[in-house]
Amino acid sequence: MVTIASSLRPLALFGGTFDPVHLGHLRVAWEAAEALDAEVRLLPARAPPHRPQPIASAEARVALLRAALAGQDRLGLDLRELARPGPSYSVDTLTELRAEQGTQRPLLLLLGQDAFAGLPTWRRWMQLFQLAHIVVLTRPASLPIWPDSLQQQWRKRAVTEPAALCATSAGAVFNLRVSALEISASQVRALLAAGREPRYLLPDALLTDAALLAPYRAPAR
């Protein structure tokens, strides 16, 4: 793990619907925090523009996240996208954060491989490189296919050491190998809808309060 001076410690955002949050989300966020010596915030989206809308309400998903993150201080929560009306565009979120954090602090956008491959379809995607570094969370034995426009940016911006992310505040792309936990929120939702218990896929804290997962269970007949 790289150790970075506190004044330059990166702030990393890991976005998603977290519908519901599961151990796959939490494990990769934890590994990023350790590997990059970064402050990592989970960033739940209100209305993601590139995927189906969440099943659970914003309030229900926040309750799940708060329960999942209790008892540790490495991962935090950022609710700004839930407070902002309309689609949750990353460029708007990073613009807000850059204004708050100033021009010197490195900002990191943590993206899974599939999300990164679709980056050219995002709103004002080239502006993202002016606002933050992008950290691509890769898994062993995976072979992403990127469009030509993204490969060009990769060749220009790729760095191979985490410390390079502190040399500037934005503009680089870094591959971070993370654990391959094959867990999906859709899998968890299907289990809950079928009346089954997704133990060992979710944090135990989510299973101790039946109300937390109630939005995903089939109504009683």
Side-chain angles (χ1 to χ4, degrees):
M1 181 182 75
V2 63
T3 301
I4 298 168
S6 58
S7 61
L8 291 177
R9 190 168 181 238
L11 170 58
L13 293 180
F14 183 42
T17 55
F18 303 110
D19 190 33
V21 62
H22 54 68
L23 291 178
H25 296 134
L26 298 172
R27 184 60 207 170
V28 298
W30 188 271
E31 290 180 8
E34 288 190 323
L36 305 174
D37 191 25
E39 175 190 350
V40 174
R41 299 180 189 175
L42 275 65
L43 181 76
R46 171 177 290 281
H50 298 287
R51 58 187 303 172
Q53 299 308 297
I55 301 296
S57 68
E59 293 76 15
R61 289 181 288 128
V62 170
L64 287 162
L65 283 161
R66 291 196 190 283
L69 296 175
Q72 57 81 46
D73 58 7
R74 183 177 285 276
L75 304 179
L77 193 55
D78 192 313
L79 302 180
R80 72 183 64 233
E81 290 191 350
L82 298 180
R84 192 172 66 227
S88 302
Y89 291 115
S90 294
V91 68
D92 296 334
T93 300
L94 289 172
T95 297
E96 286 182 11
L97 271 169
R98 180 54 71 198
E100 292 173 8
Q101 299 295 325
T103 59
Q104 300 302 309
R105 187 177 189 185
L107 298 181
L108 312 180
L109 181 61
L110 307 181
L111 295 180
Q113 290 183 131
D114 290 344
F116 183 68
L119 199 65
T121 68
W122 290 25
R123 185 185 194 188
R124 303 203 308 270
W125 74 282
M126 286 295 297
Q127 190 177 342
L128 297 174
F129 296 111
Q130 301 170 25
L131 296 165
H133 301 302
I134 295 180
V135 176
V136 186
L137 306 173
T138 65
R139 291 174 170 81
S142 56
L143 296 172
I145 299 175
W146 298 339
D148 290 344
S149 58
L150 194 57
Q151 291 189 37
Q152 291 173 8
Q153 294 302 316
W154 168 260
R155 288 192 290 268
K156 287 169 48 177
R157 301 176 182 278
V159 297
T160 59
E161 296 296 333
L165 300 175
C166 289
T168 59
S169 62
V173 180
F174 177 70
N175 263 9
L176 178 64
R177 184 69 62 88
V178 294
S179 296
L181 298 183
E182 297 299 330
I183 304 172
S184 71
S186 59
Q187 171 193 16
V188 172
R189 292 195 301 269
L191 290 171
L192 289 166
R196 298 170 62 187
E197 185 177 69
R199 189 169 292 278
Y200 308 122
L201 299 177
L202 300 177
D204 287 344
L206 305 193
L207 300 169
T208 59
D209 182 350
L212 288 172
L213 294 171
Y216 306 105
R217 297 190 186 277
R221 295 182 178 178

